[in-house]
């Protein structure tokens, strides 16, 4: 498996001290907004797997409910300038 960038739409708020807190993201495959719970402050970092540098946000993604139990997934949201992305696993092309 290989990794690639998956662009996402992000919705959030600016705090009084000027920080941006992402509150939801939308993947083009899902077409609905997924709530995010920030886990700490963003960190300036380089993405060595798919390239680029920017801010790394540790988040918990609320994926929905199964039998009344919330499905949560921890992940990383990347902000590079004005664009946002997550890492997506894809099968390698052996051509």
């Amino acid at each position: 498996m290989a990794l690639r960038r998956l662009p996402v739409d992000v919705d959030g708020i600016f705090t009084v001290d000027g920080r941006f807190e992402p509150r939801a993201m939308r993947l083009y495959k899902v077409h609905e907004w997924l709530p995010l719970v920030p886990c700490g402050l963003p960190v300036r970092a380089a993405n060595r797997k798919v390239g680029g540098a920017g801010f790394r946000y540790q988040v918990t993604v609320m994926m929905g409910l199964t039998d009344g139990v919330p499905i949560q997934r921890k992940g990383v949201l990347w902000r590079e300038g004005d664009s946002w992305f997550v890492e997506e696993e894809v099968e390698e092309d052996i051509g």
Side-chain angles (χ1 to χ4, degrees), residues 72-91:
Q72 300 176 359
R73 187 171 172 191
K74 295 202 180 289
V76 177
L77 179 64
W78 290 88
R79 178 182 179 190
E80 187 176 54
D82 289 334
S83 62
W84 295 83
F85 68 92
V86 294
E87 296 172 357
E88 176 186 40
E89 273 192 11
V90 293
E91 290 188 30

Side-chain angles (χ1 to χ4, degrees), residues 30-90:
V30 179
H31 300 294
E32 64 185 50
W33 289 95
L34 301 172
L36 299 175
V37 178
C39 302
L41 296 173
V43 177
R44 185 174 290 279
N47 188 319
R48 296 180 186 172
K49 296 176 185 173
V50 296
F55 287 97
R56 181 176 184 255
Y57 292 77
Q58 293 282 349
V59 295
T60 300
V61 182
M62 309 304 284
M63 303 293 287
L65 296 172
T66 300
D67 298 326
V69 178
I71 301 169
Q72 300 176 359
R73 187 171 172 191
K74 295 202 180 289
V76 177
L77 179 64
W78 290 88
R79 178 182 179 190
E80 187 176 54
D82 289 334
S83 62
W84 295 83
F85 68 92
V86 294
E87 296 172 357
E88 176 186 40
E89 273 192 11
V90 293

Side-chain angles (χ1 to χ4, degrees), residues 18-35:
R19 288 182 302 110
F20 181 78
E21 281 190 18
R23 297 297 179 142
M25 74 175 179
R26 181 172 56 188
L27 305 170
Y28 75 93
K29 294 178 178 180
V30 179
H31 300 294
E32 64 185 50
W33 289 95
L34 301 172

